[in-house]
Amino acid sequence: MCAQLPNPVLDSISIIDTPGILSGEKQRISRGYDFAAVLEWFAERVDRIILLFDAHKLDISDEFSEVIKALKNHEDKIRVVLNKADQIETQQLMRVYGALMWSLGKIINTPEVVRVYIGSFWSHPLLMPENRKLFEAEEQDLFKDIQSLPRNAALRKLNDLIKRARLAKVHAYIISSLKKEMPNVFGKENKKKELVNNLGEIYLKIEREHQISPGDFPNLRKMQELLLTQDFSKFQPLKPKLLDAVDDMLANDIARLMVMVRQEESQMPTQVVKGGAFEGTMNGPFGHGYGEGAGEGIDDLEWVVGKDKPTYDEIFYTLSPVNGKITGASAKKEMVKSKLPNTVLGKIWKLADVDKDGLLDDEEFALANHLIKVKLEGHELPAELPSHLVPPSKRRHE
């Protein structure tokens, strides 16, 4: 079924929603078509695959396992969403997350851990709001991932071309190996059956001879089924010139195309998914992290650091300031008491030394302590000092 809607989100992406996965007794009812094969067909053509799990009824049924296995060689496209996470408490959520990762690890055989987004992905009030900040951060990460899809579309098409070229090369080796083993006159049918049964060994032989990765080979069982209906005597022998052309294309042309794609993308206007939920939290006071951490006091008339400045001033004057300023060495003695790593403290120093004179006055020292507090409370530091955090005496020089 297809639905067309006047929605700006759909200007840049198309969304395909698969039928629900069957579990328990329902799995025995045939769908009337090969569900896993249809998903495999889509997996080859889409840019992103999102697997949805419910936090309160985590179950990977046999059909779901088959579906995930059908997505083999497309693991880089897979993202996982653990939905309805507001329906369980934090402790239970940790157990569910661990169980999900363990189950997925058995099915998705990749060295990298699959990315799981935790949250409550609908517009209803949260049932248990204690993990609100986590859900908001996860939602924004997922949105950013989806928004980047149009921008990287050309590069993904190029990666698909590389996959297809490597697969075509492997096919050529398989077909020519089967052709070579066939008798000229008698016993063709028996030899064909023998070769199909021993296809796994032929795969290993080709893998060793031509140093080909096992992941580049087509599905063994599917290949055996397809070969049973073929006439091996009509197969073509290997054409080294054509293989050389493919190798040259993979080694040289693809590298040049990659550079061209990057250049074109940098010159084009940034393409992102717009509209709908993607714009609900981007700007304004409900933007993720607005008014929190380094963003605290963004709308206040008074300098937000000012309320704690008397406390910081007491420490400042114990550090023997000269001409109203303390040295980096004096500041360091106090700042390391926070137990934050030097890399973080170095960034705080850079942000707090507003006039870049290598010294801190009382306002800059108060700012440094405020940023330490922000970091210790679990917030990220800004890349640049926001205008509302600039000390009042320094604002004239901006």
Side-chain angles (χ1 to χ4, degrees):
M1 291 169 67
C2 182
Q4 277 189 305
L5 301 167
N7 188 311
V9 172
L10 301 175
D11 286 339
S12 45
I13 55 169
S14 296
I15 299 165
I16 301 159
D17 181 26
T18 61
I21 300 290
L22 302 178
S23 61
E25 200 63 33
K26 291 178 190 171
Q27 288 180 83
R28 298 181 191 179
I29 304 160
S30 173
R31 289 180 183 270
Y33 64 93
D34 191 337
F35 185 55
V38 172
L39 290 188
E40 196 176 337
W41 185 91
F42 273 116
E44 287 172 7
R45 289 157 177 82
V46 299
D47 293 310
R48 183 65 74 240
I49 300 162
I50 297 176
L51 303 177
L52 287 159
F53 292 88
D54 278 4
H56 66 95
K57 50 172 185 180
L58 188 62
D59 171 39
I60 300 182
S61 64
D62 293 345
E63 186 177 56
F64 207 173
S65 291
E66 286 304 309
V67 163
I68 297 170
K69 283 172 188 168
L71 304 175
K72 189 177 179 288
N73 297 335
H74 301 289
E75 289 90 353
D76 57 317
K77 297 177 179 180
I78 296 175
R79 301 289 184 273
V80 175
V81 167
L82 185 58
N83 198 16
K84 303 180 184 175
D86 63 321
Q87 297 187 11
I88 55 176
E89 291 175 353
T90 306
Q91 199 176 2
Q92 182 64 14
L93 180 58
M94 286 171 69
R95 289 197 195 105
V96 169
Y97 179 78
L100 176 62
M101 295 303 283
W102 184 78
S103 302
L104 288 173
K106 290 198 297 178
I107 307 166
I108 303 174
N109 296 315
T110 55
E112 282 131 22
V113 178
V114 67
R115 177 65 163 100
V116 178
Y117 299 93
I118 305 166
S120 174
F121 294 89
W122 65 347
S123 54
H124 292 237
L126 298 174
L127 293 178
M128 294 185 191
E130 64 252 41
N131 292 316
R132 184 189 189 103
K133 278 188 182 176
L134 169 69
F135 297 162
E136 285 174 0
E138 292 284 284
E139 186 181 80
Q140 288 307 308
D141 284 355
L142 178 60
F143 283 1
K144 279 176 194 165
D145 184 70
I146 295 169
Q147 282 186 304
S148 71
L149 293 177
R151 191 169 62 242
N152 300 322
L155 213 54
R156 271 191 302 277
K157 282 179 184 142
L158 206 53
N159 284 332
D160 285 343
L161 176 64
I162 295 165
K163 275 186 200 170
R164 289 173 75 86
R166 280 158 61 173
L167 187 60
K169 198 172 137 184
V170 171
H171 268 272
Y173 284 129
I174 296 166
I175 298 303
S176 64
S177 292
L178 295 171
K179 167 84 174 173
K180 213 187 292 178
E181 296 289 332
M182 285 299 283
N184 290 328
V185 188
F186 302 112
K188 287 185 180 181
E189 202 54 39
N190 287 336
K191 186 65 178 174
K192 175 181 160 179
K193 283 177 185 169
E194 184 193 319
L195 287 169
V196 170
N197 288 334
N198 296 333
L199 190 61
E201 290 171 28
I202 293 168
Y203 274 20
L204 286 170
K205 189 181 167 190
I206 294 168
E207 193 185 313
R208 281 195 300 269
E209 267 181 44
H210 303 283
Q211 284 85 47
I212 294 168
S213 162
D216 286 348
F217 284 82
N219 181 283
L220 180 65
R221 203 168 62 202
K222 191 177 172 185
M223 194 67 172
Q224 285 171 321
E225 285 172 16
L226 292 168
L227 285 170
L228 285 170
T229 61
Q230 303 296 316
D231 182 353
F232 286 14
S233 61
K234 289 182 181 174
F235 285 169
Q236 296 288 320
L238 201 64
K239 295 190 173 83
K241 277 190 178 178
L242 290 177
L243 277 177
D244 290 344
V246 172
D247 286 336
D248 181 60
M249 183 267 286
L250 288 169
N252 302 309
D253 295 349
I254 291 291
R256 282 198 294 271
L257 272 171
M258 203 74 89
V259 172
M260 287 165 68
V261 165
R262 286 286 184 212
Q263 284 173 346
E264 281 188 17
E265 281 182 348
S266 65
Q267 288 160 13
M268 285 166 64
T270 307
Q271 286 180 287
V272 291
V273 181
K274 291 177 182 173
F278 294 98
E279 288 180 0
T281 60
M282 285 301 162
N283 301 305
F286 292 96
H288 176 60
Y290 189 93
E292 298 169 10
E296 186 191 348
I298 193 166
D299 295 325
D300 296 353
L301 293 172
E302 297 292 321
W303 188 40
V304 68
V305 184
K307 64 178 187 290
D308 294 319
K309 191 170 177 293
T311 309
Y312 302 140
D313 279 351
E314 284 179 27
I315 302 165
F316 179 78
Y317 289 109
T318 64
L319 300 172
S320 311
V322 178
N323 298 326
K325 296 194 173 193
I326 57 168
T327 62
S330 299
K332 183 180 177 180
K333 280 179 197 166
E334 188 59 38
M335 289 168 73
V336 292
K337 291 178 184 175
S338 67
K339 296 181 182 173
L340 287 171
N342 280 355
T343 48
V344 175
L345 292 174
K347 189 174 180 183
I348 289 170
W349 170 271
K350 204 173 169 185
L351 292 167
D353 185 15
V354 180
D355 54 15
K356 308 295 178 219
D357 63 353
L359 303 165
L360 297 184
D361 62 21
D362 59 328
E363 286 184 334
E364 289 172 325
F365 181 74
L367 174 60
N369 280 281
H370 178 76
L371 292 170
I372 286 170
K373 189 178 89 168
V374 164
K375 189 63 187 170
L376 290 174
E377 286 174 353
H379 302 285
E380 286 305 309
L381 293 170
E384 291 178 11
L385 191 67
S387 57
H388 72 279
L389 287 184
V390 176
S393 67
K394 304 288 187 293
R395 291 178 191 181
R396 292 191 300 273
H397 306 304
E398 287 199 319

